Amino acid sequence: MQKKQNSIRKKEDRVLPRQKRRYTISGYVTDCSSSETLIGANVISHNTHQGTASNSYGYYSITVPEGETDLNFSYLGYAAKNCKFRLHKDTLINVRLSSDNRLKEIIVTSKQDEAGILATGMDAIDIPVDQIKHTPALLGETDVMRTIQLLPGIQSGTAGTAGLYVRGGNADENLILLDGIPVYKVDHLFGFFSVFTPEAMKKVTFFKGSFPARFNGRLSSVIDVRTKDGDMNHYHGNLAIGLLTSRFNFEGPIVKGKTSFNLSARRSYSDLVARPFMSKDEKFGYYFYDFNFKLNHKFSDFDRLYLSYYQGRDCMNENDYDTNTYNKHTYYDRYGMNMAWGNSITSLRWNHVFNDRLFCNTTVALNNYKIHLMSYDNDEVGANAYENSTSHYNSNIKDLNVLTDFDYYPSTAHHVKFGAGYIYHVFCPEVTNVQCKDKGSGTLPIDTVYNSPNHDIYAHEVSAYAEDNWKINDRLQANWGFDLSAFHVQGKSYYSFQPRLSFRYQLTNSVALKAAYTKMTQYVHLLTSMPITMPTDLWVPVTKKVRPMQANQFSVGGYYTGLKNWEISAEAYYKSMNNVLEYKDGVSFLGFSSDWENLVEMGHGRAFGIEFMLQKKVGNNTGWLSYTLSKSDRKFSKGGINGGERFPYAYDRRHTINIAYNRKFSSRFDIDLTWMFYTGGTTSLALKKSAIIIPDCGRSYYSKNVGDGVTEVDYVPHRNNYRLPSSHTLCLGFNFHKKTKHGMRTWNISLYNAYDAMNPTLIYRKTSEWYGSLPSSGGKLVKYTLLPFIPSFTYIYSF
Amino acid sequence: MKKKIFTILSVLITILFVTSCENDMPITHNEKFERLVMNAFIDADSTNNVLYLNLTGADSALVVKDAHIEVRVNGELKEKEAASSRNKYPVKTQFHQGDVVRIDAYTNDNKYHVWVEETVPHSVGFVALDTAHVYKKFNSNSHAGGDSGIGNIWQYKISFKDNSGDVNYYRLYMERFIKKETIYKYVAEWPDVYKEDTVIYYRPDYGSDYMCYEDPIMMDGHTISADGDNDFGEYLPTLQATENIYGVFNNNRFKGKSCTLTVYDDLHSYPLYQHSVDTEEKTEETTICPIDEIFFVQSITESEYYYLKALNLYRSSDYQDNDDLSGPIKFPTNVHGGTGMVGFSSSASKYIRLQGKYN
């Protein structure tokens, strides 16, 4: 018997050890206090040295071998958490992390999928909301766009405005998403402030290069803004009162642990302050507001529903009243206007977890941007004689968005994303309606309506994408994917295949190299003719004549993390753009653009440059220093612009230096500093005299200098012919905090343009005092500086 | 803490006083080269066209008289001309609709060469020209309007048929001829009637000297009422509808079809009939002024259309108010190797005579 047992034991010794099975651990990473999901939280398996990150809804999934498992969860600004357990089946673990602002150092060993120096993709940056709040602000209005302007490769457009010109692209080439839905008009007050309030934001990710395949529709950048879901456990909020606006945020549970809400609002009030001082016969007002509301319901660990609503508006109005008495008659004249423009976005999102490896988000949204202007003039002479005219101007874009996105984790080496989307666009370009009524004035009575002939344009946009973040081996990672899109408008269809490729090679422990190629297609354009944004800037779709814009971008970069807490990067890029649009020379941009297709020309643009960045993210001293060397130009070969010759892009600024610095002295006092320097962009200046022919005066016109038949005129030799001087701006912010019984009180003092640099906002040639003519030889330029030194203060109370 | 705040504020105030507030900047540029400027409006129905040559300059545009031009039609050299006087170069070739015309200009020192190539557009089929005398309010701000207010003015309706094709460009052009005939009649002391005729025949107006602000085709769909009610522009310059001073329009609203334009003129300076009496001597004086008008619908090239649109803007009061924001006008050019505008047109016209006792 013992012989038999020994024999069996020997047989057992000769059997190979059972191969370890692999199981998936998944769940949500949330804030311990508010249950707010954490986007991009790092999940690392210490046993296998593999990792992943939570997706845009805080969901993660990681497949590891069975047995003893040690998972580490970390997120910037939160205490890391370890979970040690024995894994023997697919497991659901929802992790709650505690916020820890005192943390001096976080060792980030993340393999973040999407953004950051360690991500596979390049040119992608996570912008902490805290950083946005600590960027010194104009009139106390912290702004995500101003923070992004401090990054390398970004130009700010006209000084002081919040526009973004990324790597030689136009302002309309940025895909700006609010919880996944594109926002058309992202600014207030003619471009000086953006529509995003930091109090409502949870996370902002900025892509300027290798865009993930799920993003399409714009050429130059993607700004993915995610708003807070709402605290599921406690009520809290904050109130800020500044010189320009007041804003508040309030969030809390409706059903604890199940349903929460988040509400934030902002309104300017200069109109309310000034109104009592206006005469009763003349009233003028301007204000803007933003309103965000979000409802979040958790059915179970597998299903969540979000309902969001955003509305932002700029409103301007004027009302005047005159009376006159003449020849025993009294005349009454009431005239004025009301104007409003802005976005409304309503969206419903459903998160569903199919299994441990498959996550789905489906979004249905209505998006509406519109502008309405009404002006009136009512003249009355008694009850029987009147002249009334009312004019209406309307323009809007309505989108119905249906999108579905899947996150699939087939193995640790692959993270697959795929999905599809459909957008039904209705473009309602400028529609005017002028009604004139005239009675009793001695002429034939008139009751006439003039309408403009513009018709709605309907378009269908369909897209599908797939991408895989693939860990090829310990050193090499790749993110590869594609986007297929189709755009159908006016009986014409356009198709686009957009490959996306990026590679990351870990050369040493502290040095990584990246390379990327991206192709993007854009089907809508913003027609603009002023250096500042105007509410009448018009979004128009591609048509039978105007083809989609396309861009191909190549980039390479090197990254070094060998210095403790420091990140150093250098990136070079080349971007080629086709079918970019510009107005032709001499087009009447003072006026409506019902004929816009014939007013623009398609051409080619290119941009290339190199960007350096030195950044520190942790500790009492944080910030970055960046330098960009870049060049960008355009060429329109048909000849309608600049005679077909290449010319520099308006925001072709050769050198740009940005410094952002935050110093935390104590829990009660900290300062923020930003300094921007850039060499001048370009503008078109009349530097010569030329002769033009005026119809119908040739036979009688004679000029001693210019000769017969023609008249002298200022001449712009070529577009963007003049290089502006350099600009530089220092902004400072001082924050004084004090804990109160129920919360925290903060006084913020901001100094915009602290040393009052007179940077040129607008420039034109100085004319002589008489006759408005240009002085002979040389002369001077006159510059307007719109934003000199501007101090402000803001009171913030958080509870 | 207080010491820190004081230090910070002291440094900031010091910085503030050290900065400069210069508003003027010298112009620094390296633009030294000049360009040859070629300008002409070539009427295909005329053999007396004129082309003008100038040179751009830092202080003033210059006359170019030492040059010659070559005119080719459908690839064949038709004429070669030198300056007839100062900067004028005659173009005597008869052009026809559809001709591909190329004009080259060379300075005699061979330093500058410019050229333009265009196709002579086809004229339209003029259908009708009607007039009516209406009592109406008219806009004194119009470039063609006389005094403001209300009165009897002439309404013209011009009907024509669009050419086939995609986009066509037109200009409404008018010439007015007045034959002024004065009859003096003396009664009472002289039993004979003394009649003296004074006839003057002249062309006081030509071009686009009419009011078209209420016509949706000529105003590109965005009319201005007689009160000048286009209030959008008062609040947003980008919504200002520019008055169509040169009467240019395209066929966006009537492609391949007939259209009718409605324009007005008050003709207050040209009374058709006047009669005055000297009561003491019962002298009568009668002036009869029939007015002959010819309306031309000119088919123009695309480049001339946009050039005249730019001229509309350049001559409008709106542009002067807004050139700080919008920048200087960059006139379109179709001249290669230089700058300028050479437009080609062919016309269809209708004649009408206004006479009677309308005042």
Side-chain angles (χ1 to χ4, degrees):
Chain A
M1 183 66 176
Q2 194 168 358
K3 223 182 191 178
K4 203 173 179 180
Q5 284 174 345
N6 288 339
S7 171
I8 293 170
R9 199 174 293 120
K10 281 177 184 173
K11 277 185 185 173
E12 284 175 349
D13 288 339
R14 285 199 295 272
V15 169
L16 291 169
R18 184 170 66 91
Q19 198 155 13
K20 279 192 173 179
R21 290 179 188 170
R22 300 174 72 83
Y23 294 106
T24 301
I25 307 163
S26 63
Y28 285 91
V29 183
T30 58
D31 180 291
C32 175
S33 171
S34 65
S35 299
E36 190 79 43
T37 57
L38 299 178
I39 301 171
N42 307 299
V43 183
I44 308 290
S45 166
H46 283 311
N47 304 74
T48 60
H49 302 289
Q50 290 165 335
T52 186
S54 59
N55 69 7
S56 301
Y57 305 96
Y59 181 80
Y60 77 95
S61 174
I62 185 169
T63 302
V64 294
E66 63 177 341
E68 293 301 322
T69 302
D70 181 5
L71 286 185
N72 176 269
F73 297 85
S74 61
Y75 192 71
L76 199 65
Y78 287 76
K81 193 167 190 175
N82 271 70
C83 287
K84 290 182 181 177
F85 58 97
R86 186 171 177 74
L87 182 67
H88 58 277
K89 60 176 181 176
D90 292 334
T91 303
L92 176 72
I93 297 180
N94 293 323
V95 176
R96 299 159 71 85
L97 299 182
S98 301
S99 168
D100 189 350
N101 292 325
R102 296 167 300 173
L103 203 62
K104 293 191 187 315
E105 178 184 322
I106 294 175
I107 298 171
V108 178
T109 57
S110 70
K111 306 291 181 191
Q112 293 183 35
D113 283 350
E114 299 222 312
I117 205 165
L118 298 170
T120 311
M122 55 189 302
D123 319 315
I125 301 166
D126 273 330
I127 302 171
V129 176
D130 209 43
Q131 176 62 56
I132 298 169
K133 290 178 179 174
H134 282 87
T135 301
L138 176 63
L139 292 171
E141 297 300 312
T142 52
D143 196 312
V144 60
M145 300 301 184
R146 289 192 197 284
T147 306
I148 293 174
Q149 286 174 356
L150 296 168
L151 299 172
I154 318 299
Q155 304 289 345
S156 63
T158 303
T161 60
L164 297 179
Y165 298 81
V166 182
R167 289 182 172 176
N170 282 334
D172 65 335
E173 294 171 16
N174 305 309
L175 179 65
I176 302 171
L177 301 169
L178 184 63
D179 286 332
I181 305 301
V183 183
Y184 284 103
K185 190 89 170 111
V186 295
D187 54 76
H188 291 300
L189 195 56
F190 305 99
F192 287 95
F193 303 98
S194 79
V195 300
F196 302 109
T197 50
E199 287 77 13
M201 288 190 280
K202 178 161 70 177
K203 189 174 173 70
V204 179
T205 311
F206 176 65
F207 303 87
K208 57 181 173 172
S210 55
F211 307 114
R214 67 181 180 278
F215 297 124
N216 62 63
R218 301 289 188 275
L219 299 190
S220 288
S221 80
V222 177
I223 302 169
D224 188 11
V225 178
R226 299 281 164 175
T227 57
K228 288 183 191 170
D229 301 330
D231 192 329
M232 282 221 174
N233 301 305
H234 307 100
Y235 294 100
H236 58 90
N238 60 63
L239 172 70
I241 301 172
L243 285 183
L244 182 66
T245 72
S246 284
R247 50 190 190 269
F248 83 91
N249 172 256
F250 186 56
E251 59 181 305
I254 296 174
V255 176
K256 263 196 179 179
K258 282 279 185 188
T259 312
S260 67
F261 73 93
N262 187 297
L263 174 71
S264 67
R266 165 175 73 168
R267 191 200 192 274
S268 67
Y269 36 62
S270 55
D271 59 321
L272 301 173
V273 170
R275 194 164 279 261
F277 301 97
M278 296 180 192
S279 79
K280 62 176 183 175
D281 294 334
E282 283 185 22
K283 298 285 183 192
F284 173 79
Y286 169 82
Y287 67 95
F288 65 84
Y289 71 86
D290 296 290
F291 176 77
N292 279 280
F293 178 74
K294 194 167 182 179
L295 205 61
N296 164 26
H297 179 69
K298 182 181 166 185
F299 291 97
S300 67
D301 283 336
F302 303 100
D303 288 283
R304 282 190 178 212
L305 196 67
Y306 303 86
L307 176 65
S308 309
Y309 179 71
Y310 166 78
Q311 179 164 298
R313 284 282 185 275
D314 284 70
C315 302
M316 198 157 71
N317 57 73
E318 179 188 356
N319 294 286
D320 296 275
Y321 180 63
D322 290 334
T323 58
N324 285 296
T325 303
Y326 178 72
N327 265 353
K328 299 180 185 176
H329 293 290
T330 302
Y331 299 85
Y332 305 94
D333 189 9
R334 292 183 182 82
Y335 57 97
M337 68 90 183
N338 283 294
M339 184 171 174
W341 65 96
N343 304 285
S344 300
I345 301 174
T346 308
S347 69
L348 189 66
R349 281 185 295 122
W350 174 45
N351 290 169
H352 179 63
V353 178
F354 286 94
N355 56 50
D356 298 315
R357 301 188 185 201
L358 185 62
F359 171 92
C360 170
N361 173 69
T362 302
T363 305
V364 177
L366 284 171
N367 189 356
N368 186 8
Y369 169 68
K370 66 178 178 182
I371 169 173
H372 173 69
L373 168 63
M374 187 277 290
S375 67
Y376 66 94
D377 191 345
N378 299 330
D379 302 327
E380 292 173 13
V381 182
N384 297 317
Y386 59 82
E387 296 170 11
N388 296 339
S389 73
T390 309
S391 306
H392 291 272
Y393 169 92
N394 287 286
S395 181
N396 65 67
I397 305 167
K398 294 176 204 164
D399 285 352
L400 169 64
N401 295 262
V402 180
L403 317 159
T404 186
D405 303 287
F406 293 87
D407 273 50
Y408 178 52
Y409 306 82
S411 69
T412 315
H414 293 272
H415 178 182
V416 178
K417 296 184 184 182
F418 62 95
Y422 168 73
I423 307 177
Y424 176 59
H425 299 280
V426 181
F427 295 90
C428 310
E430 301 154 324
V431 174
T432 57
N433 170 288
V434 179
Q435 183 169 40
C436 299
K437 282 188 180 179
D438 196 331
K439 182 185 172 186
S441 60
T443 63
L444 289 173
I446 295 171
D447 190 347
T448 309
V449 176
Y450 301 97
N451 283 318
S452 64
N454 282 335
H455 303 293
D456 292 355
I457 302 173
Y458 303 96
H460 305 268
E461 185 176 349
V462 179
S463 63
Y465 72 91
E467 66 174 274
D468 178 22
N469 200 49
W470 178 21
K471 188 182 174 186
I472 301 169
N473 56 47
D474 284 342
R475 286 181 182 268
L476 184 63
Q477 273 182 281
N479 184 295
W480 65 277
F482 62 87
D483 184 279
L484 293 168
S485 64
F487 196 91
H488 181 80
V489 64
Q490 294 180 333
K492 173 91 179 165
S493 295
Y494 294 99
Y495 303 96
S496 174
F497 172 70
Q498 302 162 51
R500 313 280 167 86
L501 283 170
S502 61
F503 296 92
R504 180 179 182 278
Y505 183 74
Q506 192 74 33
L507 199 62
T508 68
N509 280 344
S510 52
V511 177
L513 301 174
K514 294 188 191 179
Y517 166 71
T518 301
K519 181 177 177 183
M520 298 285 279
T521 301
Q522 182 163 337
Y523 296 109
V524 293
H525 316 270
L526 183 66
L527 296 179
T528 179
S529 55
M530 295 279 183
I532 58 174
T533 62
M534 300 292 284
T536 50
D537 291 344
L538 199 62
W539 282 97
V540 292
V542 294
T543 65
K544 286 181 284 194
K545 287 185 186 176
V546 178
R547 296 187 298 276
M549 293 196 286
Q550 288 189 328
N552 291 281
Q553 186 172 175
F554 302 87
S555 42
V556 294
Y559 307 85
Y560 178 67
T561 53
L563 292 175
K564 193 177 177 186
N565 296 330
W566 289 88
E567 295 177 354
I568 302 170
S569 64
E571 294 180 357
Y573 67 90
Y574 175 82
K575 185 159 80 173
S576 166
M577 296 163 279
N578 295 313
N579 302 330
V580 290
L581 289 189
E582 289 256 0
Y583 275 112
K584 294 179 187 173
D585 285 341
V587 163
S588 171
F589 42 74
L590 288 184
F592 305 103
S593 54
S594 59
D595 190 28
W596 70 270
E597 289 177 82
N598 294 317
L599 304 182
V600 297
E601 190 169 321
M602 289 182 285
H604 177 256
R606 62 181 187 183
F608 46 91
I610 184 162
E611 300 162 3
F612 299 94
M613 189 159 174
L614 173 67
Q615 186 175 17
K616 185 171 186 281
K617 285 183 178 175
V618 293
N620 287 330
N621 295 286
T622 56
W624 66 81
L625 164 68
S626 71
Y627 168 72
T628 305
L629 173 67
S630 63
K631 184 176 161 69
S632 173
D633 54 36
R634 300 283 190 270
K635 182 175 179 179
F636 295 82
S637 303
K638 280 188 182 173
I641 297 173
N642 206 47
E645 297 172 4
R646 194 174 291 278
F647 61 93
Y649 179 52
Y651 300 108
D652 172 36
R653 294 170 174 146
R654 195 70 65 244
H655 306 277
T656 307
I657 299 172
N658 291 310
I659 297 173
Y661 174 65
N662 309 108
R663 162 78 175 161
K664 194 169 183 176
F665 289 92
S666 68
S667 60
R668 298 187 63 177
F669 176 65
D670 53 78
I671 64 169
D672 310 309
L673 177 150
T674 62
W675 185 69
M676 296 171 67
F677 169 86
Y678 47 85
T679 52
T682 59
T683 189
S684 298
L685 270 191
L687 299 176
K688 298 274 185 183
K689 293 287 192 181
S690 180
I692 59 167
I693 185 168
I694 304 285
D696 317 321
C697 73
R699 287 166 208 172
S700 58
Y701 185 83
Y702 172 75
S703 158
K704 180 185 171 187
N705 286 337
V706 186
D708 290 332
V710 293
T711 189
E712 198 168 74
V713 70
D714 299 332
Y715 175 58
V716 180
H718 50 85
R719 195 177 275 214
N720 294 340
N721 59 323
Y722 191 81
R723 183 70 60 175
L724 294 168
S726 302
S727 296
H728 44 92
T729 310
L730 172 70
C731 300
L732 297 168
F734 305 92
N735 303 295
F736 304 91
H737 310 282
K738 185 178 180 182
K739 263 194 172 174
T740 61
K741 191 176 176 185
H742 299 292
M744 173 84 78
R745 178 204 73 201
T746 301
W747 278 101
N748 165 267
I749 298 172
S750 287
L751 304 175
Y752 183 87
N753 198 358
Y755 55 74
D756 202 25
M758 304 301 281
N759 298 311
T761 306
L762 297 166
I763 281 188
Y764 64 99
R765 279 195 75 175
K766 193 169 192 175
T767 56
S768 66
E769 289 182 10
W770 306 102
Y771 310 116
S773 60
L774 293 182
S776 58
S777 62
K780 286 198 171 186
L781 297 178
V782 178
K783 61 174 177 176
Y784 284 132
T785 299
L786 203 56
L787 300 174
F789 170 70
I790 302 176
S792 66
F793 61 86
T794 308
Y795 174 81
I796 304 162
Y797 183 73
S798 304
F799 56 92
Chain B
M1 183 63 182
K2 282 185 182 174
K3 194 179 174 185
K4 273 186 189 169
I5 295 172
F6 178 75
T7 307
I8 292 166
L9 286 173
S10 302
V11 169
L12 290 173
I13 291 168
T14 307
I15 292 172
L16 186 61
F17 281 108
V18 167
T19 56
S20 60
C21 302
E22 182 67 47
N23 273 337
D24 286 355
M25 305 185 318
I27 298 174
T28 54
H29 67 95
N30 297 321
E31 301 248 24
K32 289 190 168 49
F33 67 91
E34 304 303 343
R35 294 194 177 200
L36 187 60
V37 187
M38 181 160 69
N39 288 300
F41 284 128
I42 306 288
D43 181 357
D45 302 314
S46 169
T47 54
N48 287 322
N49 291 298
V50 177
L51 184 141
Y52 305 91
L53 290 181
N54 291 83
L55 204 62
T56 58
D59 300 328
S60 174
L62 305 171
V63 165
V64 172
K65 53 187 177 184
D66 296 321
H68 66 277
I69 64 170
E70 294 175 0
V71 180
R72 286 175 173 79
V73 179
N74 299 322
E76 187 185 337
L77 180 67
K78 292 290 188 183
E79 68 177 301
K80 198 169 173 180
E81 300 285 350
S84 60
S85 67
R86 289 179 62 83
N87 63 326
K88 290 168 71 171
Y89 295 77
V91 178
K92 299 170 188 167
T93 304
Q94 175 71 63
F95 300 110
H96 302 95
Q97 299 170 25
D99 281 347
V100 177
V101 180
R102 175 171 168 138
I103 301 178
D104 289 80
Y106 304 84
T107 53
N108 293 340
D109 60 3
N110 291 324
K111 195 174 176 186
Y112 299 98
H113 165 222
V114 299
W115 59 274
V116 64
E117 186 170 286
E118 291 278 10
T119 302
V120 178
H122 289 83
S123 59
V124 298
F126 211 126
V127 175
L129 172 62
D130 289 322
T131 62
H133 209 227
V134 296
Y135 187 68
K136 188 174 166 55
K137 188 183 295 182
F138 53 92
N139 183 2
S140 65
N141 291 324
S142 164
H143 73 287
D147 294 332
S148 63
I150 303 162
N152 287 308
I153 61 172
W154 285 95
Q155 178 190 75
Y156 301 88
K157 287 192 182 288
I158 302 104
S159 298
F160 66 95
K161 190 169 187 314
D162 181 36
N163 288 328
S164 60
D166 191 12
V167 184
N168 296 316
Y169 304 95
Y170 302 108
R171 184 183 175 212
L172 184 64
Y173 176 88
M174 175 271 295
E175 289 193 353
R176 182 174 295 135
F177 301 87
I178 293 179
K179 176 182 175 184
K180 187 175 177 184
E181 184 175 354
T182 304
I183 303 169
Y184 295 93
K185 186 174 176 183
Y186 300 90
V187 184
E189 291 185 15
W190 291 271
D192 298 318
V193 171
Y194 173 74
K195 182 180 174 184
E196 178 185 316
D197 288 347
T198 307
V199 178
I200 304 169
Y201 195 71
Y202 63 109
R203 190 184 76 160
D205 300 310
Y206 56 93
S208 306
D209 204 21
Y210 46 75
M211 293 177 267
C212 63
Y213 47 81
E214 286 189 356
D215 185 273
I217 292 172
M218 300 207 70
M219 292 299 290
D220 200 14
H222 305 286
T223 54
I224 305 171
S225 68
D227 285 324
D229 284 333
N230 177 29
D231 298 313
F232 304 136
E234 186 180 341
Y235 304 106
L236 280 179
T238 50
L239 295 184
Q240 184 70 42
T242 307
E243 194 182 350
N244 195 354
I245 297 170
Y246 292 103
V248 289
F249 58 99
N250 60 30
N251 66 338
N252 267 346
R253 289 171 179 79
F254 58 93
K255 278 184 183 167
K257 300 176 187 172
S258 297
C259 92
T260 300
L261 309 173
T262 306
V263 301
Y264 298 88
D265 204 331
D266 62 350
L267 294 180
H268 70 288
S269 301
Y270 314 111
L272 294 177
Y273 177 85
Q274 275 183 331
H275 180 228
S276 64
V277 177
D278 186 332
T279 55
E280 287 185 10
E281 298 177 354
K282 292 204 85 172
T283 306
E284 295 182 63
E285 181 181 307
T286 305
T287 303
I288 302 168
C289 302
I291 297 175
D292 292 338
E293 294 184 323
I294 308 176
F295 277 85
F296 299 81
V297 176
Q298 291 181 321
S299 299
I300 60 177
T301 56
E302 180 183 357
S303 47
E304 182 174 340
Y305 170 78
Y306 285 113
Y307 176 82
L308 293 175
K309 292 272 279 186
L311 263 188
N312 280 341
L313 178 63
Y314 183 69
R315 284 197 54 196
S316 73
S317 57
D318 311 317
Y319 172 69
Q320 276 77 43
D321 291 337
N322 294 294
D323 58 350
D324 299 341
L325 274 180
S326 53
I329 288 280
K330 296 170 278 291
F331 285 95
T333 176
N334 63 346
V335 174
H336 300 266
T339 188
M341 168 53 54
V342 179
F344 289 82
S345 63
S346 56
S347 306
S349 62
K350 279 279 184 184
Y351 155 83
I352 194 164
R353 167 164 279 192
L354 306 178
Q355 58 184 6
K357 294 191 177 179
Y358 300 104
N359 270 17

